[in-house]
Amino acid sequence: MTAWQQSGSAAGNAGLVPFRPWWGLGAAAATFLLLGTVTAIWPNPVFARMTPTQGFEVWLLAIQAVLVGVYVAIRRPRCSVRGAGIGSALGFLGVACPTCNKILLLTFGADFLLAYFEPYRLHLAMVGAAVTAVAVVWEWRQRFRVAVCPVA
């Protein structure tokens, strides 16, 4: 039994939780590179961006990637990733090109996206980063109370 699996209390709820800095660093780098390439924030031969970037995309993507990396590094085994997942999805929609997202384009149309979605992308990306930050803080606090989430 490893040190992080050992329980610190008689009830078995509190204990050491694994801290995986290399996993977190890898997740942050992969998030930044993968989402930056898919959303065509930088020029690449695979994806083309139909609307120009406004400058905030790279910084908000970097913030989101760091938060995802921290979350992966401190995540407790078998726990839900709902908060970080929702925050990441909102962050992705906030930095992505609105007319390049085929699902949004087919659902709402280009005129609707450019008129009503494009002006609020910055706010959507900031809300995504905030939701992910709340998930990180929640996970950080919970890791000292319950080492492993119960299987649902």
Side-chain angles (χ1 to χ4, degrees), residues 36-49 53 58:
T37 302
V38 169
T39 58
I41 290 178
W42 44 76
N44 64 74
V46 181
F47 298 100
R49 191 172 180 103
T53 59
V58 174

Side-chain angles (χ1 to χ4, degrees), residues 99-140:
T99 57
C100 302
N101 188 329
K102 302 304 181 222
I103 296 171
L104 289 177
L105 189 61
L106 290 173
T107 304
F108 300 110
D111 292 335
F112 179 86
L113 290 175
L114 290 174
Y116 298 106
F117 183 70
E118 174 67 23
Y120 300 104
R121 284 188 317 110
L122 169 64
H123 302 99
L124 189 63
M126 289 178 9
V127 167
V131 169
T132 308
V134 168
V136 167
V137 170
W138 175 263
E139 188 67 23
W140 181 259

Side-chain angles (χ1 to χ4, degrees), residues 8 27 31 42 76 85 141-142:
T31 299
W42 44 76
R76 295 169 295 148
R141 289 182 176 178
Q142 291 299 315

Side-chain angles (χ1 to χ4, degrees), residues 1 6 11 50 54 57 60 74 76 84 95 104 109 136 143:
M1 183 178 279
Q6 296 173 355
M50 295 178 199
Q54 297 178 0
E57 289 93 349
L60 282 171
I74 65 171
R76 295 169 295 148
V95 299
L104 289 177
V136 167
R143 72 191 309 255

Side-chain angles (χ1 to χ4, degrees), residues 4 12-13 16 18 24 35-36 43 45 52 57 64 68 75 85-86 90 94 112 120 127-128 145 152:
W4 66 269
N13 287 339
L16 298 174
L35 291 183
E57 289 93 349
Q64 186 70 33
V68 167
R75 185 172 173 268
I86 291 171
L90 291 174
F112 179 86
Y120 300 104
V127 167
R145 295 183 185 146

